[in-house]
Amino acid sequence: IYVVGKPYAELGGSVYLKTYGAIGNDVPKVHAKEALAAYIALSAAIQKRMVLSAHDCSEGGLAVALSEMAFAGGFGATALLNSVPVDAKVKRDDVLLFSESNSRIIVEVDPKNRKAFERMMAGIPMGMIGQVLEGTDLFVYGLKDNLCLKADVNELKQAWKKPLQF
């Protein structure tokens, strides 16, 4: 599992801050040149069939994107936040997990395509952050290698679907 693009300390208007009744001052900004370069490289990798799946990190940030990818496949995953390329101002696990910075994509790559994918993405802010796991547990380790999130994908999916059920 890779993340393409980097988060900034942009929690303003995020779902995360909304849960605390806060708004925040730093709303996500588009870094157009960086985004265009990433999209061109990623598009080429997709065309060469190196990418198994991809998901944007918009509403809810990295934590929600990882969860939603796991919902689709029915598998668990492990992710290491200290492998995410970050802006220098990002120093906390919650910012990495829930920043809604624009132009970031979670990408699943078949291990046999790892080196070729990394060559195609050379010069693009990205990092290999984890892997798909058998079972349904999602593990996220923080900047200091601390376990900061452990959840069952099926339970997360039920919580995610709950507001949509009538």
Side-chain angles (χ1 to χ4, degrees), residues 77-139:
T78 185
L80 308 171
L81 296 182
N82 61 14
S83 296
V84 175
V86 296
D87 178 67
K89 294 180 184 175
V90 178
K91 298 184 186 308
R92 295 185 354 220
D93 294 341
D94 62 338
V95 175
L96 271 171
L97 283 168
F98 299 107
S99 169
E100 295 180 354
S101 295
N102 291 299
S103 310
R104 291 178 306 133
I105 301 173
I106 303 296
V107 180
E108 179 188 2
V109 175
D110 188 313
K112 70 181 182 199
N113 293 327
R114 177 180 172 191
K115 291 196 184 303
F117 177 78
E118 290 173 357
R119 279 192 302 273
M120 288 195 78
M121 300 299 292
I124 303 299
M126 66 152 215
M128 187 176 81
I129 62 167
Q131 63 186 14
V132 176
L133 300 175
E134 294 287 330
T136 59
D137 285 325
L138 176 63
F139 301 94

